[in-house]
Amino acid sequence: MNRILLIMFCALFAVGLQAQDVIVPISTKSNLMLLHPSREGRLNTVYFGEPLQNEAEYKDVASQFNLRDNNAGIYNAAYTSAGTWNLVEPAIEVVQSDGNTSLELKYVSHTQEKTDDNAMLTVINLEDALYQFEVKLFYKAWTDENVIEQWTEIEHNQKKAVVLKKFASANLFFTGNDFYLTTYGNEWAKEMQRNEEKLTRGIKSIDSKLGTRAYLLQSPNFILSLDNEAAENTGTVVLGQLAWSSNFRYDFEIDSHDNLRFIAGINPFASEYTLQPGETFKTPSLVYVVSHKGTGEASRNLHSWARDYRVLDGNGERLTLLNNWEATYFDFDENKITALFKDAKSLGVDLFLLDDGWFANKYPRNSDNAGLGDWQENKAKLPNGIGHLVSEATKEGIKFGIWIEPEMVNPKSELYENHLDWVIRQPERPEKYFRNQLVLDLSNPEVQDFVFGIVDKLFTDSPELAFIKWDCNSVIYNAHSAYLEKKNIPQTHLYIEYTKGLYKVMERVREKYPEVPIMMCSGGGGRGDYELFKYFTEFWPSDDTDPLERVFMQWNYSYFFPSIVTDCHVTDWSKLPLKYRVDVASMGKLGFDIVAHELNEKDLQFAQEAVQNYNSFKDVVWHGDLYRLVNPYENNFAALMYVSKDKSRAVVFNYLVNFRYMETASRLPVKFAGLDGNKKYTVKELNVYPGARSRIDSTKTYSGDFLMKVGVNPNMSQRNASVILEVNEVK
Ligand code: DGJ
């Protein structure tokens, strides 16, 4: 047994311990949360902050915390229930099997066990004394990374079903003077635009109701900063996301005493859940990292956690690629595609990715209004099939990957004609399309089989297939499932059952194909969560590949995701020089979406050298620690730096973001970070455009101390608007 049971408080009252003597610490290296049952047995949050040195003093915290739990509006419950005397926003709201709407959860017991050297799982049992209704609160705390994953399991043993009206994953409570919230959202090709505000009394809710492509308008990523606005190197921040690939809701409620309650979970919108006796309802996880030293430390820790514990093959390698989407859109055939293999080869990337438009015959996929769902190769475009493309790519010395959008259907398709009952739609109402398509009903096991079968067939036919881009372009309109209706399951289960169905499919895909890299894409950045990252190796942050806008977007995503999962492609979206476009894409996982053989000689030479350079430093970008040095929202340039874990190598990316006439970036040097002050380093400019001369002296040696206190001036100008610097230890 590799799990060591540390503390077991089962049958607590039997051994004579009173509930108010119990204190439950959720602790990591730099943070401590203390939970404590009141005299009445209601579990409260009594501390959230830097660790206390003396464990013996934990028990004294509650007595100093003079929040009496019978005062309306200052309720610090660890999981707030509705229907008795609580009058603040609840975490859970139910209709008991007899129609009664009250729930009173009391502490019963808890267990804490180490799941490995670095993680502790705490499970707290809460029960209602009147109704057979039980809630288990789960807290998995990763010590070194200060990451907490929090979820809830709900069960009952009443004779008939109970209706769950609200069922949050987490209910956090903070005291403090001021709270600042940063959230992100906007629209297609404008994803992850940040919005920072000071929270004021009342409730600020953030949510999605889109079902699939759920983050199109609002991302679940958040930064909560205590006392002051979020800063990179100072202050307490809580930074994270609900790991749920569908509708979510966050409520940030500031009470009349200026305390903050944060409730996060599946959006209860149209989602009442009928829970049968003995059934367990498991919520998704709220994943968050806490730092008392600002967002820099927080995101470095979250990145490490993601690579070590969550993202599929998070510490592995990734494939650079050439994608045909923006080069051809739907207008291609076998010759055009095989010609692009030569481009991939000439650029030096690892893989060619064939995007949308390769399938369907009765309703050929020549635009986005037909064919989705009919996953046979289009005979006119690809007479020799995918297998032929794979072997041609192999001959060229590159790998081959393919785009699919298996959860969706065009009404103009054989799938729609044959399986109308698989489509999410209101049977008696007009259909409403998003990008000319509808969503398949993944709550239906037959649809799950169909979706799995698409992937399975591709690999069975072409075992050398090396990459999948899994797209999802539509939201759910007219939410109605013929399957749930047939099974007498309430329609309000649809959003949840759909999402669980998606996870079931991904489980099966990964059971059979554990390693192949799969990109999560959703009409740009409509998906990107730490539940799906159990199955996906990377994601497509946005269709917006304008490099100037990407500097800001990648900056914002960098708080939440390590660059190894952030796919960044060079396209023709902008008139900015190829160098700027390549330099910006090199900050993530590099790809191209251009016609390389149409590049002029110098641009092609530059791109080829840039791929080689990328290969030389990608290990640092993918697996190193990120330091955000200069914020583009506050300066006329951005600077970000990746440092290898052993501090022997680093890469610094500098991008001018203001192209006003005569603008120069900075007359001051950029101070580096994360190096070893006692080591010696050289600094060399990479990706220098053919014929240009670098203004960085690569022969000079600097101490880490100098580089971090004085720094180096990247010497950017309008003509040299991006500068990549490689920092190498001199041994
Ligand atoms: C939306 C994606 O974001 C694009 O990259 C591309 O794959 C298209 N779908 C294809 O339809």
Side-chain angles (χ1 to χ4, degrees):
M1 203 165 90
N2 57 1
R3 293 178 168 192
I4 313 156
L5 206 59
L6 281 190
I7 312 168
M8 180 74 95
F9 278 100
C10 291
L12 186 73
F13 297 102
V15 294
L17 204 55
Q18 295 301 304
Q20 71 267 25
D21 296 331
V22 170
I23 190 101
V24 187
I26 311 294
S27 93
T28 60
K29 203 183 236 171
S30 319
N31 196 63
L32 176 67
M33 174 158 62
L34 293 176
L35 306 173
H36 171 70
S38 66
R39 197 170 308 133
E40 294 85 0
R42 299 184 183 106
L43 187 72
N44 293 329
T45 305
V46 294
Y47 183 81
F48 188 101
E50 294 190 51
L52 302 180
Q53 280 180 9
N54 305 316
E55 267 187 47
E57 288 184 323
Y58 287 1
K59 63 177 176 18
D60 301 330
V61 171
S63 59
Q64 300 299 323
F65 203 88
N66 194 18
L67 291 181
R68 292 218 306 285
D69 63 7
N70 56 358
N71 279 0
I74 52 166
Y75 189 37
N76 56 327
Y79 201 68
T80 315
S81 56
T84 53
W85 48 265
N86 159 56
L87 302 176
V88 298
E89 184 64 30
I92 183 165
E93 192 184 349
V94 307
V95 182
Q96 307 284 6
S97 57
D98 62 0
N100 187 291
T101 53
S102 70
L103 179 67
E104 185 76 274
L105 293 170
K106 298 271 177 87
Y107 170 88
V108 176
S109 63
H110 76 277
T111 59
Q112 291 195 299
E113 60 178 310
K114 273 197 148 219
T115 55
D116 64 36
D117 282 352
N118 189 37
M120 173 81 89
L121 179 66
T122 302
V123 185
I124 306 176
N125 293 302
L126 308 175
E127 278 178 18
D128 190 313
L130 203 56
Y131 285 91
Q132 295 235 330
F133 192 96
E134 194 185 328
V135 168
K136 284 194 178 76
L137 305 180
F138 290 78
Y139 302 80
K140 187 162 183 185
W142 279 269
T143 309
D144 289 345
E145 296 79 11
N146 298 299
V147 168
I148 297 173
E149 185 182 0
Q150 207 175 315
W151 72 96
T152 300
E153 285 183 11
I154 303 168
E155 267 175 37
H156 72 88
N157 274 314
Q158 299 171 33
K159 294 228 157 51
K160 288 191 291 176
V162 166
V163 175
L164 307 181
K165 292 172 77 82
K166 191 171 183 192
F167 30 82
S169 301
N171 177 168
L172 298 174
F173 178 80
F174 306 93
T175 53
N177 295 324
D178 291 320
F179 299 96
Y180 293 83
L181 176 67
T182 311
T183 52
Y184 304 83
N186 210 314
E187 241 298 359
W188 173 76
K190 292 182 190 157
E191 293 93 337
M192 272 311 264
Q193 300 203 4
R194 76 168 189 168
N195 175 41
E196 180 165 19
E197 65 199 298
K198 184 173 171 186
L199 293 172
T200 52
R201 286 186 186 172
I203 300 184
K204 165 92 188 173
S205 295
I206 305 279
D207 81 343
S208 164
K209 300 185 181 77
L210 308 184
T212 43
R213 202 174 172 176
Y215 311 160
L216 172 64
L217 308 177
Q218 181 65 56
S219 126
N221 299 313
F222 69 88
I223 301 175
L224 181 66
S225 182
L226 276 50
D227 296 325
N228 296 300
E229 285 176 30
E232 193 65 4
N233 296 310
T234 53
T236 299
V237 289
V238 180
L239 181 160
Q241 63 157 222
L242 187 80
W244 179 245
S245 321
S246 186
N247 300 346
F248 67 92
R249 186 162 118 197
Y250 297 158
D251 293 309
F252 296 88
E253 181 174 19
I254 302 227
D255 65 26
S256 53
H257 295 260
D258 296 323
N259 304 309
L260 170 66
R261 229 174 328 279
F262 170 32
I263 295 174
I266 292 177
N267 196 339
F269 161 75
S271 291
E272 278 188 4
Y273 197 91
T274 305
L275 190 69
Q276 299 301 332
E279 190 190 350
T280 303
F281 184 90
K282 182 179 176 193
T283 71
S285 300
L286 181 73
V287 173
Y288 58 96
V289 60
V290 185
S291 170
H292 301 289
K293 290 187 183 157
T295 48
E297 181 187 81
S299 55
R300 278 188 292 284
N301 277 333
L302 189 60
H303 295 174
S304 295
W305 171 85
R307 283 185 300 244
D308 289 349
Y309 300 108
R310 185 49 64 98
V311 173
L312 188 80
D313 199 21
N315 287 305
E317 299 295 311
R318 297 293 184 272
L319 299 168
T320 55
L321 58 82
L322 174 69
N323 187 193
N324 71 306
W325 177 240
E326 295 197 16
T328 65
Y329 293 102
F330 296 98
D331 179 19
F332 61 81
D333 60 16
E334 194 172 272
N335 292 337
K336 244 191 197 175
I337 294 301
T338 46
L340 288 175
F341 294 169
K342 297 204 182 339
D343 278 7
K345 177 80 182 161
S346 131
L347 284 170
V349 295
D350 303 316
L351 176 127
F352 177 84
L353 168 62
L354 177 61
D355 213 284
D356 195 356
W358 58 267
F359 50 90
N361 288 298
K362 181 171 176 189
Y363 302 102
R365 180 76 170 166
N366 293 325
S367 83
D368 63 17
N369 69 359
L372 209 50
D374 299 347
W375 297 100
Q376 332 88 23
E377 293 102 324
N378 177 284
K379 293 219 163 59
K381 289 184 193 175
L382 305 178
N384 299 302
I386 298 294
H388 173 71
L389 292 180
V390 178
S391 57
E392 287 302 299
T394 312
K395 273 189 217 151
E396 208 59 69
I398 52 164
K399 296 177 194 295
F400 183 85
I402 201 159
W403 175 99
I404 51 175
E405 192 180 3
E407 300 160 69
M408 305 282 158
V409 62
N410 283 128
K412 262 170 127 184
S413 69
E414 291 181 77
L415 181 71
Y416 180 91
E417 287 174 350
N418 298 332
H419 290 286
L420 194 55
D421 57 329
W422 285 5
V423 180
I424 294 179
R425 58 196 284 281
Q426 287 288 353
E428 306 297 333
R429 293 187 188 276
E431 289 178 349
K432 164 87 178 142
Y433 308 122
F434 193 106
R435 207 195 187 208
N436 304 309
Q437 64 195 55
L438 294 162
V439 182
L440 294 175
D441 178 8
L442 267 178
S443 73
N444 183 342
E446 280 181 30
V447 177
Q448 294 168 20
D449 290 345
F450 170 76
V451 172
F452 170 76
I454 296 165
V455 182
D456 197 30
K457 181 166 187 320
L458 280 169
F459 283 116
T460 312
D461 291 353
S462 307
E464 309 86 354
L465 205 61
F467 188 88
I468 299 246
K469 175 177 178 182
W470 183 303
D471 208 344
C472 161
N473 281 290
S474 174
V475 304
I476 295 179
Y477 287 128
N478 285 324
H480 179 89
S481 157
Y483 171 78
L484 294 180
E485 184 167 272
K486 199 164 101 198
K487 294 282 171 189
N488 255 330
I489 300 171
Q491 289 296 327
T492 52
H493 289 211
L494 178 56
Y495 292 118
I496 293 170
E497 293 307 331
Y498 181 98
T499 313
K500 286 188 186 163
L502 174 64
Y503 297 152
K504 277 187 199 153
V505 171
M506 294 316 301
E507 263 321 307
R508 284 170 71 184
V509 168
R510 283 315 185 185
E511 210 169 283
K512 195 154 177 197
Y513 307 103
E515 276 163 13
V516 63
I518 308 185
M519 178 205 286
M520 176 188 340
C521 173
S522 183
R527 276 181 177 161
D529 67 82
Y530 277 121
E531 191 59 29
L532 278 182
F533 270 126
K534 289 178 177 169
Y535 313 104
F536 288 81
T537 49
E538 53 217 86
F539 86 119
W540 182 235
S542 174
D543 282 344
D544 180 5
T545 46
D546 178 309
L548 183 54
E549 291 179 16
R550 271 280 179 149
V551 171
F552 292 89
M553 196 181 283
Q554 290 171 205
W555 175 275
N556 290 337
Y557 272 118
S558 81
Y559 288 91
F560 306 94
F561 300 113
S563 65
I564 191 164
V565 307
T566 313
D567 287 348
C568 301
H569 291 186
V570 177
T571 71
D572 291 327
W573 263 53
S574 127
K575 301 257 173 300
L576 282 162
L578 184 74
K579 171 171 163 54
Y580 192 85
R581 289 181 266 154
V582 173
D583 285 0
V584 172
S586 296
M587 194 182 113
K589 198 215 80 171
L590 177 65
F592 291 83
D593 234 304
I594 53 172
V595 185
H597 62 260
E598 288 175 4
L599 293 176
N600 67 41
E601 202 182 317
K602 274 192 173 175
D603 272 359
L604 180 62
Q605 184 192 338
F606 169 77
Q608 290 165 331
E609 287 169 5
V611 172
Q612 283 174 24
N613 288 334
Y614 183 77
N615 286 337
S616 75
F617 65 65
K618 65 188 181 191
D619 178 50
V620 181
V621 173
W622 292 351
H623 307 122
D625 283 328
L626 168 66
Y627 293 83
R628 284 176 292 263
L629 305 177
V630 179
N631 186 337
Y633 287 99
E634 293 160 9
N635 298 276
N636 59 2
F637 73 111
L640 302 96
M641 174 171 186
Y642 295 85
V643 184
S644 65
K645 293 277 181 194
D646 67 359
K647 298 178 185 294
S648 68
R649 296 188 67 201
V651 191
V652 188
F653 296 92
N654 305 275
Y655 308 112
L656 192 67
V657 293
N658 186 333
F659 290 89
R660 283 179 62 241
Y661 180 65
M662 295 290 281
E663 189 72 40
T664 54
S666 169
R667 291 174 176 82
L668 298 175
V670 174
K671 287 181 193 162
F672 294 178
L675 299 173
D676 182 337
N678 297 318
K679 284 186 172 161
K680 298 266 181 247
Y681 298 93
T682 55
V683 178
K684 182 180 169 201
E685 183 171 355
L686 297 181
N687 286 7
V688 178
Y689 196 76
R693 202 173 54 83
S694 171
R695 294 172 67 193
I696 305 294
D697 180 358
S698 61
T699 60
K700 209 170 153 33
T701 299
Y702 306 88
S703 68
D705 178 64
F706 179 92
L707 291 174
M708 292 191 287
K709 290 181 181 154
V710 179
V712 167
N713 194 322
N715 282 315
M716 275 182 292
S717 63
Q718 297 280 345
R719 295 177 58 186
N720 196 30
S722 59
V723 170
I724 299 182
L725 301 173
E726 183 188 43
V727 182
N728 276 310
E729 184 186 353
V730 183
K731 299 234 167 128

